[in-house]
């Protein structure tokens, strides 16, 4: 079901109620808890949605309380990228690994850190925001206030912006065109692989994870693209930390967030 956020918060919540009621009715099992993935920033402990840039009229919405009142079941509300990360860690590209980092390349770059089957949410519940790892002190100003955030270079939006001069295309089209030999697209895709490799090297140096999962349209860009990201990461990461790390595409597509939200509800 699309969010249709432009219709306003009340209508979105009423559609959310319909989606939950439909899922419960169609499940054929007794439901014990409800997990919800939502754009951040949000207070995942209290289940309060704070002020997501993608949901303009949502300010301090107590989503957990609202859904608990309606359905009389325990509710977990979690950042959508964290849900996707938990889904991939439990059932997707990160299964069998004890440490996994997810980067999801969409409008921005979302991320999740899953350690031993549990999300690392930080002291205030705001981790992880790896899209705001800076790769250039003098780079373009990001919405977060920092400069040169990886989000400004490797999100789908950033890839599309860089291609714009030569005609507007979606990120997925650009990856496809590059694959078919379009020179401008090829250059942009190659640059993006290096930017991503630099960000991935920072993550490897910080966390030494077993798996780094990349999700979003580019996850379909193919093995050649991933080889470039790995090469760029290897050139920059500490040798010992790079050894044995897997850098792989996501496996669950759009279901990752739903599966992860269910795990989040189960683990609360
Ligand atoms: Zn930023």
């Amino acid at each position: 079901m699309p969010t249709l956020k432009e219709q306003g918060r009340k209508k979105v919540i009423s559609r959310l109620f319909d989606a939950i009621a439909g899922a419960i009715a169609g499940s054929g099992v007794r439901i014990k808890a409800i997990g919800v993935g939502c754009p951040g920033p949000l207070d995942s402990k209290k289940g309060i949605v704070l002020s997501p840039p993608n949901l303009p009229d949502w300010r301090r919405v107590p989503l957990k309380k609202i859904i608990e009142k309606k359905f009389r079941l325990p509710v977990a509300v979690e950042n959508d990228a964290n849900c996707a990360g938990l889904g991939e860690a439990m059932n997707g590209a990160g299964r069998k690994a004890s440490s996994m980092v997810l980067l999801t390349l969409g409008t921005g770059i979302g991320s999740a850190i899953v350690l031993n089957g549990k999300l690392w949410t930080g002291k205030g519940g705001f981790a992880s925001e790896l899209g705001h790892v800076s790769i250039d002190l003098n780079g373009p100003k990001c919405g977060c206030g920092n400069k040169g955030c990886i989000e400004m270079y490797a999100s789908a939006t950033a890839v599309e912006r860089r291609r714009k001069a030569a005609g507007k295309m979606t990120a997925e089209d650009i990856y496809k065109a590059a694959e078919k030999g379009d020179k401008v697209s090829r250059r942009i895709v190659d640059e993006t692989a290096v930017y991503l490799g630099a960000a991935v090297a920072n993550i490897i140096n910080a966390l030494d994870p077993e798996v780094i999962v990349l999700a979003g349209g580019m996850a379909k860009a193919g093995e050649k693209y991933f080889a470039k990201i790995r090469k760029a990461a290897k050139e920059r990461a500490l040798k010992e930390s790079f050894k044995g790390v897997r850098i792989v595409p996501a496996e669950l597509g759009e279901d990752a967030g739903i599966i992860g939200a269910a795990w989040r509800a189960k683990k609360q």
Side-chain angles (χ1 to χ4, degrees):
M1 223 182 249
T3 316
L4 304 182
K5 62 182 176 188
E6 61 284 357
Q7 293 182 359
R9 189 184 70 237
K10 281 191 179 144
K11 286 216 167 128
V12 171
I13 290 175
S14 127
R15 293 166 63 72
L16 183 60
F17 285 169
D18 291 347
I20 295 170
I24 291 174
S27 71
V29 293
R30 191 170 67 83
I31 305 296
K32 287 193 174 170
I34 298 168
V36 180
C38 182
L42 54 82
D43 181 333
S44 66
K45 287 179 182 130
K46 292 183 184 148
I48 298 172
V49 182
L50 297 175
S51 54
N54 292 331
L55 297 170
D57 64 337
W58 291 55
R59 293 282 176 275
R60 299 200 63 84
V61 178
L63 192 59
K64 175 178 157 78
K65 261 194 196 151
I66 291 171
I67 301 172
E68 279 178 344
K69 199 173 153 204
K70 173 85 177 174
F71 291 95
R72 303 190 175 283
L73 284 165
V75 173
V77 175
E78 185 56 76
N79 177 301
D80 51 4
N82 276 351
C83 286
L86 197 51
E88 289 289 345
M90 301 305 286
N91 298 94
R95 66 185 175 280
K96 295 179 189 157
S98 61
S99 51
M100 188 210 83
V101 176
L102 171 95
L103 293 181
T104 157
L105 314 175
T107 316
I109 294 187
S111 64
I113 300 171
V114 185
L115 305 172
N116 301 312
K118 274 193 78 173
L119 276 171
W120 171 257
T121 53
K123 66 176 181 353
F126 299 111
S128 59
E129 292 291 352
L130 297 171
H132 300 287
V133 166
S134 175
I135 56 166
D136 183 357
L137 289 183
N138 301 309
K141 189 149 193 195
C142 175
C144 76
N146 198 355
K147 280 181 182 172
C149 295
I150 180 66
E151 178 165 301
M152 303 301 290
Y153 297 88
S155 63
T157 317
V159 171
E160 284 158 17
R161 193 174 47 231
R162 298 220 307 282
R163 181 66 177 74
K164 217 171 196 170
K168 200 168 158 38
M169 289 163 86
T170 69
E172 221 168 317
D173 292 339
I174 295 166
Y175 288 112
K176 274 186 201 152
E179 198 63 26
K180 284 184 186 151
D182 173 60
K183 273 196 185 145
V184 181
S185 300
R186 171 108 271 168
R187 181 176 53 74
I188 290 165
V189 167
D190 286 353
E191 282 170 9
T192 309
V194 175
Y195 293 141
L196 271 175
V200 163
N202 290 337
I203 295 167
I204 291 171
N205 288 349
L207 293 168
D208 187 19
E210 276 177 52
V211 190
I212 296 178
V213 178
L214 301 176
M218 57 69 59
K220 298 172 202 150
E223 182 46 40
K224 257 194 263 169
Y225 185 56
F226 273 79
K228 279 181 188 150
I229 297 171
R230 285 185 203 109
K231 181 169 172 275
K234 190 179 180 184
E235 285 166 6
R236 291 165 178 81
L238 294 167
K239 274 188 186 62
E240 290 307 320
S241 312
F242 186 82
K243 214 179 275 173
V245 67
R246 290 192 289 129
I247 302 164
V248 295
E251 289 180 6
L252 301 177
E254 291 191 351
D255 290 343
I258 298 169
I259 294 168
W263 277 110
R264 179 64 178 74
K266 191 175 181 193
K267 283 167 182 284
Q268 73 176 344

